[in-house]
């Protein structure tokens, strides 16, 4: 846990859950597991505030608790989940592309609320969809819950750990409930007969009458899946992101058809392969042929040729694992992720140090270890420039130096100096730099908004006035008069602020894509060792 | 400079300086005495950000999400500091965040017992839920009181001063009950009351709220 990471976590918490939660969360990140009283004491926050903050953090699955042996409850922060907040828009967008507006709203609600019961989520989403529809139309609950079931079937949402029912022990109830994940039921949607449709918000008296009449029925519905909470399965989303990245890499390297074959292979093993596995399940070419999307007209022969081509490719995305059944093929997931990360490093060097440096960098990646003289020769760059570039990258820690002494006294004249690129440490360093970048972007955005706070408030107020006047049917002249309350220079300032904020936000999203690739690479090397 | 500590001439170096690209007759680069600049000049201009529908939509989503998060009850704002003087109008203003109560309803089964904290109910629910409760309770109370009064009347014949006091207490109770009833009645009919927070969720009053917190 680096200082940069905790700084970024702190900023994210502050932006999304407020100052108090930030204080508690950051304290937990810095000091590890802590009991309630210590948190309150050390952060100088009142006990009630800390309780509230912990409730929020637990609700959003950012903090878990466990019973200490000495008989108190301690709270544990999950840094990786804190950093996921940055990726929320991407999850929502993915849900939209896969499952339309309904999927988008379901995932959005789950992310906003941390965990929800199925019935609550369905109701909320149906209501929200109904509001956007035309009058007299509304969204059926059953439709929304069908989408929810799809999401659960494809593992994009999963159940939260549930309370383990202890057989009735006498005496006091335990300090903290024991939570347990039921592996079998993780993606099983409880059978609910939800009938009805989304309601529009209406004038108050109408609503009151309606809600009172429906109360008993509503309660009955709620109790059906009471206590079964759902959360977004970020792992599954990451798997999807990774698959998409692999597919687009293949389509860039080879062509559309081969990317379609890889897509089919990935889709076939989507749910059966765990997200940390190094390879997909072996698939025979016959199976792949049968699962190709209809309308994709390639013959079995062509498919076999493509598969051989893919397996022979130096990138080694696709591997041949056996010859039975017309050849068994796997997708080498870890290798694919590693090559994506390497490509990221290469492009960083290219954009930062120019294409000649990138040439040297790629050379080192390919040849592993090279002496300085060899670098100069192979890269076909003038010796002096090559040295300068090499040292520049060395000082930035992108290239490392390995000494191999010929004699035990390590005398420089009798030592080989081999330059090499260690991708893993490089990736780690770059990841830290990305965290720093995002933290800086957020800080800059906050600073900009703070500087222009007065102006923003003014424009909001005026917009509100205009909206209310339009509603009452004011004349064109009056509206214009009010619009002119914001002067031209002010308008300009507002526009430039908006442009800047948009740019900063967009950069955040894009840096996060890099973060994702680097993180997956680093995680994939971890599981290999473990 | 190889730990010799004497001078800094090139001759002292243990390796051939030409190997690192410094030719004969060229001076060694001067030592760096200050930290690198905070904002170094960029040698290469950064590439422009990606554009397109996807990026735009994601951007809108991000900003919307950030806005939405701020309005949810999970966004804990510190209670506003007490102002200089207590004003009469204070209790008609919609109450801001309170330190000792939570604004949403967590599922306490999933949380450690020590975290349990008073839950503040949203305004709308209150009038709907509390009302029927009181309607039930009031007639019951009256019957009881009448019974008690009758008992007392009987006892009064035996005249003792202590019981007179008790009587008074009972009567007070009755009065309180009626007052309460009136208040509720008002809440039902008077539209202004439904509009203003009548300050009931502050501190002392709330047996109702306590019920919620302890189940």
């Amino acid at each position: 846990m680096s200082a940069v990471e905790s700084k970024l976590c702190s900023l994210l918490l502050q932006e999304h859950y407020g100052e108090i939660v930030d204080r508690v969360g950051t304290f937990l990140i810095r000091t590890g597991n802590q009991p309630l009283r210590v948190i309150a004491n050390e952060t100088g926050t009142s006990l009630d505030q800390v309780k509230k903050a912990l409730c929020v953090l637990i609700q959003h699955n950012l903090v878990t608790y466990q019973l200490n042996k000495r008989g108190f409850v301690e709270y544990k922060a999950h840094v990786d989940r804190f950093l996921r907040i940055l990726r929320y828009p991407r999850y929502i967008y993915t849900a939209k592309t896969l499952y339309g507006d309904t999927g988008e709203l379901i995932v959005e609600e789950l992310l906003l609320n941390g965990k929800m019961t199925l019935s609550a989520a369905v109701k909320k989403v149906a209501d929200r969809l109904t509001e956007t529809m035309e009058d007299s139309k509304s969204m059926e609950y059953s439709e929304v819950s069908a989408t929810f079931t799809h999401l659960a079937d494809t593992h994009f949402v999963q159940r939260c750990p549930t309370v383990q029912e202890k057989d009735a022990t006498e005496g006091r109830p335990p300090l903290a409930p024991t939570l347990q994940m039921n592996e079998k039921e993780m993606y099983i949607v409880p059978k609910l007969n939800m009938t009805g449709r989304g309601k529009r918000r209406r004038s108050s008296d109408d609503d009151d009458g309606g809600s009172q009449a429906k109360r008993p029925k509503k309660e009955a519905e709620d109790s059906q899946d009471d206590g079964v909470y759902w959360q977004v399965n970020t792992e599954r989303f990451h798997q999807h992101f990774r698959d998409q990245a692999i597919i687009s890499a293949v389509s860039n390297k080879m062509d559309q058809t081969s990317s379609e074959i890889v897509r089919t292979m990935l889709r076939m093993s989507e749910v059966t392969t765990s997200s940390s596995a190094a390879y997909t399940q072996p698939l025979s070419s016959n199976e792949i042929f049968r699962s190709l999307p209809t309308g994709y007209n390639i013959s079995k022969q062509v498919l076999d040729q493509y598969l051989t081509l893919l397996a022979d490719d130096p990138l080694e995305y696709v591997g041949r694992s056996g010859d039975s059944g017309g050849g068994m093929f796997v997708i080498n997931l870890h290798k694919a992720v590693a090559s994506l990360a390497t490509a990221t490093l290469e492009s960083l060097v290219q954009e930062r140090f120019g294409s000649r440096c990138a040439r040297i960098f790629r050379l080192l990646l390919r040849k592993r270890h090279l002496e300085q003289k060899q670098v100069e020769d192979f890269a076909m760059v003038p010796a002096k420039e090559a040295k300068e570039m090499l040292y520049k990258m060395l000082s930035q820690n992108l290239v490392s130096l390995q000494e191999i002494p010929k004699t035990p006294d390590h005398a420089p004249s009798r030592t080989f100096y081999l330059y090499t690129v260690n991708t893993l440490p490089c990736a780690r360093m770059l990841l830290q730099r990305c965290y720093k970048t995002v933290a800086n972007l957020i800080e800059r955005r906050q600073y900009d908004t703070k500087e222009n706070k007065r102006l923003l408030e003014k424009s909001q107020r005026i917009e509100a006035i205009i909206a209310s006047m339009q509603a009452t049917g004011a004349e064109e002249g009056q509206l214009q008069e009010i619009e002119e309350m914001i002067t031209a220079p002010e308008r300009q300032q507002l526009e430039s602020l908006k442009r800047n904020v948009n740019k900063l936000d967009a950069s955040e999203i894009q840096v996060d894509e890099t973060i994702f690739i680097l993180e997956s690479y680093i995680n994939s090397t971890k599981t290999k060792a473990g | 400079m190889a730990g010799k500590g004497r001078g800094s001439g090139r001759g002292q170096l243990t390796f051939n300086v030409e190997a690192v690209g410094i030719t004969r007759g060229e001076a060694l680069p001067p030592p760096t005495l200050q930290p690198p600049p905070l904002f170094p000049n960029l040698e290469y201009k950064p590439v422009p950000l990606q554009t397109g529908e996807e990026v735009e939509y994601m951007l809108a989503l991000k900003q919307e999400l950030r806005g939405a998060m701020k309005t949810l009850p999970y966004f804990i704002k510190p209670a506003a500091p007490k102002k200089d003087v207590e004003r009469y109008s204070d209790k008609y203003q919609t109450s801001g965040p309170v330190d000792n109560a939570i604004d949403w309803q967590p599922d306490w089964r999933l949380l450690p017992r020590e975290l349990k904290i008073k839950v503040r109910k949203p305004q709308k629910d209150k009038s709907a839920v509390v009302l029927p409760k009181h309607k039930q309770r009031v007639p019951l109370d009256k019957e009881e009181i009448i019974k008690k009064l009758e008992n007392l009347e009987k006892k009064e014949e035996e005249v003792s001063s202590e019981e007179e006091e008790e009587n008074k207490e009972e009567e007070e109770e009755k009065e309180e009950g009626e007052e309460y009833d009136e208040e509720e009645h008002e809440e039902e009919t008077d539209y202004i009351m439904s509009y203003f927070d009548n300050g009931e969720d502050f501190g002392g009053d709330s047996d109702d709220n306590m019920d919620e917190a302890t189940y």
Side-chain angles (χ1 to χ4, degrees):
Chain A
M1 182 72 225
S2 65
V4 188
E5 269 171 281
S6 73
K7 172 79 191 159
L8 176 58
C9 286
S10 157
L11 281 169
L12 286 171
L13 283 180
Q14 190 204 334
E15 263 203 336
H16 292 91
Y17 303 108
E19 232 173 273
I20 296 160
V21 179
D22 165 32
R23 223 180 296 152
V24 173
T26 315
F27 176 73
L28 281 177
I29 291 172
R30 294 228 170 96
T31 57
N33 302 2
Q34 294 290 352
L36 176 65
R37 300 263 162 199
V38 175
I39 302 172
N41 264 338
E42 297 287 316
T43 54
T45 319
S46 79
L47 204 58
D48 281 336
Q49 300 266 33
V50 176
K51 283 183 192 172
K52 271 161 73 174
L54 283 173
C55 284
V56 169
L57 286 168
I58 293 173
Q59 169 79 12
H60 285 87
N61 312 312
L62 300 172
V63 162
T64 53
Y65 51 84
Q66 61 202 41
L67 211 58
N68 191 293
K69 273 186 208 127
R70 298 222 183 123
F72 57 86
V73 185
E74 50 180 20
Y75 300 90
K76 179 177 194 274
H78 294 269
V79 183
D80 48 334
R81 297 191 202 164
F82 283 67
L83 293 171
R84 289 298 93 82
I85 298 175
L86 205 57
R87 210 163 289 157
Y88 282 3
R90 203 165 164 204
Y91 298 142
I92 300 172
Y93 182 76
T94 309
K96 186 190 173 69
T97 52
L98 293 175
Y99 295 100
D101 287 345
T102 321
E104 176 191 0
L105 287 183
I106 290 173
V107 171
E108 189 179 344
E109 281 301 325
L110 283 177
L111 288 174
L112 283 175
N113 291 294
K115 44 179 98 121
M116 277 179 121
T117 60
L118 171 63
S119 52
V122 166
K123 238 170 251 157
K124 191 83 200 289
V125 170
D127 288 352
R128 278 183 66 180
L129 281 171
T130 307
E131 290 218 354
T132 57
M133 285 169 153
E134 296 163 38
D135 283 334
S136 78
K137 272 190 192 163
S138 59
M139 194 72 192
E140 291 274 357
Y141 284 156
S142 54
E143 234 172 290
V144 180
S145 68
T147 313
F148 198 100
T149 316
H150 278 307
L151 278 166
D153 286 344
T154 43
H155 297 193
F156 282 107
V157 295
Q158 65 183 19
R159 286 192 189 198
C160 296
T162 44
V163 185
Q164 202 182 0
E165 293 293 338
K166 283 254 177 73
D167 34 5
T169 41
E170 304 100 63
R172 302 162 62 205
L175 280 171
T178 351
L179 296 183
Q180 206 178 33
M181 188 70 110
N182 193 339
E183 296 282 337
K184 275 185 219 149
E185 288 191 332
M186 214 142 100
Y187 304 107
I188 294 174
V189 181
K191 288 256 179 312
L192 285 186
N193 43 346
M194 292 193 65
T195 45
R197 36 185 69 237
K199 285 168 220 71
R200 229 172 278 272
R201 245 176 276 148
R202 276 176 228 272
S203 51
S204 58
D205 52 348
D206 190 26
D207 189 44
D208 263 359
S211 71
Q212 254 171 7
K214 286 195 188 104
R215 194 162 298 267
K217 194 179 142 207
K218 209 165 149 193
E219 269 163 16
E221 256 173 39
D222 278 344
S223 59
Q224 278 180 9
D225 65 340
D226 191 27
V228 181
Y229 287 91
W230 293 84
Q231 66 189 13
V232 170
N233 183 7
T234 50
E235 287 294 314
R236 179 67 183 83
F237 273 101
H238 293 169
Q239 198 186 331
H240 180 80
F241 296 158
R242 184 198 62 198
D243 291 355
Q244 292 302 314
I246 292 175
I247 291 164
S248 81
V250 171
S251 91
N252 282 342
K253 179 94 202 294
M254 322 261 302
D255 67 344
Q256 194 65 38
T257 318
S258 45
S259 81
E260 206 55 48
I261 293 169
V262 172
R263 187 198 301 276
T264 312
M265 288 174 77
L266 285 169
R267 195 181 308 124
M268 284 165 75
S269 52
E270 217 167 41
V271 183
T272 50
T273 313
S274 90
S275 54
S276 58
Y279 299 96
T280 56
Q281 302 286 338
L283 300 166
S284 74
S285 75
N286 288 321
E287 278 179 289
I288 299 169
F289 183 65
R290 255 178 278 130
S291 313
L292 276 176
T294 49
Y296 223 82
N297 278 327
I298 51 172
S299 65
K300 176 81 175 42
Q301 230 170 358
V302 177
L303 172 75
D304 280 339
Q305 279 173 357
Y306 262 112
L307 281 172
T308 337
L309 208 63
L310 279 166
D312 288 344
D313 193 76
L315 274 180
E316 295 179 69
Y317 280 4
V318 175
R320 183 184 266 268
S321 75
D323 294 321
S324 55
M328 300 292 274
F329 293 91
V330 293
I331 290 180
N332 194 341
L333 297 169
H334 281 182
K335 202 144 213 167
V337 169
S339 81
L340 286 173
T342 318
T344 310
L345 287 177
E346 275 174 29
S347 91
L348 166 97
V349 173
Q350 172 138 347
E351 298 307 329
R352 262 294 169 81
F353 303 97
S355 53
R356 281 178 159 196
C357 271
R359 194 194 298 169
I360 294 175
F361 191 78
R362 274 196 296 268
L363 184 75
L364 285 173
L365 274 174
R366 185 170 307 167
K367 302 266 185 191
R368 309 265 180 238
H369 293 274
L370 283 181
E371 267 191 285
Q372 186 170 294
K373 188 79 184 66
Q374 290 172 307
V375 173
E376 289 160 15
D377 293 346
F378 286 140
M380 295 190 280
V381 178
K384 193 170 163 83
E385 276 177 53
K387 276 182 196 122
E388 215 172 284
M389 288 171 185
L390 209 50
Y391 298 158
K392 209 198 283 173
M393 287 195 280
L394 187 66
S395 71
Q396 297 276 328
N397 282 328
L398 286 162
V399 168
S400 52
L401 191 61
Q402 171 73 53
E403 291 179 18
I404 300 171
K406 282 185 241 177
T407 50
D409 63 350
H410 281 260
S413 52
R414 290 184 293 277
T415 306
F416 291 115
Y417 288 97
L418 297 179
Y419 289 89
T420 182
V421 175
N422 284 332
T423 34
L424 191 56
C426 268
R428 281 183 206 280
M429 183 189 68
L430 193 56
L431 183 63
Q432 293 302 320
R433 211 176 281 172
C434 285
Y435 289 143
K436 176 84 184 154
T437 311
V438 179
N440 283 354
L441 286 169
I442 295 178
E443 260 181 316
R444 176 73 206 184
R445 179 162 46 74
Q446 284 178 344
Y447 171 80
D448 274 355
T449 3
K450 209 176 122 207
E451 285 291 289
N452 293 298
K453 203 175 167 206
R454 191 196 61 82
L455 204 56
L456 280 172
E457 275 169 8
K458 185 180 171 186
S459 82
Q460 267 167 13
R461 231 177 3 245
I462 284 172
E463 266 165 36
I465 293 172
I466 291 174
S468 73
M469 285 185 73
Q470 267 171 346
T472 54
E475 283 167 40
E476 197 66 23
Q478 282 177 308
L479 286 177
Q480 212 162 22
E481 216 168 275
I482 288 169
E483 254 174 65
E484 274 162 16
M485 282 170 76
I486 299 180
T487 57
E490 277 179 332
R491 200 174 295 275
Q492 233 167 24
Q493 205 178 335
L494 270 176
E495 255 158 43
S496 85
L497 171 70
K498 199 175 167 211
R499 205 173 42 243
N500 287 347
V501 167
N502 281 350
K503 219 174 209 172
L504 290 168
D505 268 329
S507 324
E508 270 175 52
I509 295 171
Q510 279 182 37
V511 176
D512 184 60
E513 277 171 39
T514 312
I515 291 181
F516 168 71
I517 288 178
L518 294 174
E519 273 179 347
S520 345
Y521 168 56
I522 291 168
N523 286 338
S524 76
T525 55
K526 266 182 207 155
T527 44
K528 222 179 274 172
Chain B
M1 318 268 147
K4 294 268 165 43
R6 249 181 293 129
S8 61
R10 292 226 295 281
Q12 244 79 39
L13 295 177
T14 54
F15 61 96
N16 183 11
V17 277
E18 273 167 53
V20 293
I22 294 161
T23 47
R24 207 166 282 279
E26 205 176 336
L28 284 175
T32 334
L33 296 175
Q34 55 194 16
L38 204 52
F39 297 102
N41 288 329
L42 281 180
E43 256 178 83
Y44 297 90
K45 281 251 182 228
V47 278
L49 293 170
Q50 292 164 13
T51 48
E53 207 179 319
E54 187 186 327
V55 178
E56 299 273 307
Y57 193 83
M58 208 114 84
L59 178 69
L61 267 178
K62 184 175 166 61
Q63 290 173 346
E64 203 180 296
L65 191 81
R66 196 166 58 222
M69 284 289 212
K70 292 215 163 102
T71 59
L72 286 176
Y74 307 120
F75 192 90
I76 304 180
K77 298 186 197 87
K82 283 242 163 66
K83 287 196 201 111
D84 40 4
V85 277
E86 204 174 308
R87 291 194 178 79
Y88 176 72
S89 61
D90 279 357
K91 62 176 176 178
Y92 292 110
Q93 242 113 56
T94 39
S95 53
V98 188
D99 275 353
N100 56 3
I102 201 160
D103 292 328
W104 50 285
Q105 291 181 316
D107 189 342
W108 296 118
R109 283 167 299 179
L110 298 178
L111 296 169
R113 207 151 35 110
E114 61 181 7
L115 289 187
K116 212 167 259 189
I117 183 172
K118 208 160 70 183
V119 175
R120 191 151 69 128
K121 274 198 170 175
Q123 222 75 99
K124 214 169 63 187
D125 277 23
K126 200 167 177 178
S127 57
V129 176
V130 173
L131 262 174
K133 230 182 187 171
H134 279 293
K135 271 179 193 162
Q136 282 177 348
R137 203 190 281 164
V138 171
L140 236 169
D141 279 359
K142 268 181 187 163
E143 268 174 65
E144 253 175 53
I145 289 163
I146 289 167
K147 234 184 223 170
K148 269 188 186 171
L149 282 174
E150 275 170 5
N151 281 342
L152 284 169
E153 250 176 273
K154 277 177 203 165
K155 279 179 190 171
E156 214 172 346
E157 286 159 17
E158 292 157 30
V159 189
S160 89
S161 59
E162 276 174 25
E163 272 162 16
E164 248 176 36
E165 268 178 29
E166 223 180 83
N167 193 0
K168 246 184 211 167
E169 268 176 28
E170 296 296 336
E171 260 175 5
E172 264 172 28
E173 245 182 51
K174 187 187 166 188
E175 263 172 29
E176 263 175 30
E178 274 171 2
E179 258 175 36
Y180 218 53
D181 193 17
E182 237 168 59
E183 238 177 61
E184 297 300 336
H185 192 65
E186 251 175 24
E187 213 171 49
E188 246 179 341
T189 53
D190 192 350
Y191 71 95
I192 298 175
M193 288 304 283
S194 66
Y195 203 106
F196 283 120
D197 173 23
N198 54 8
E200 267 196 340
D201 37 294
F202 275 102
D205 72 297
S206 32
D207 356 5
D208 299 320
N209 285 349
M210 290 302 278
D211 284 351
E212 278 305 312
T214 49
Y215 272 82

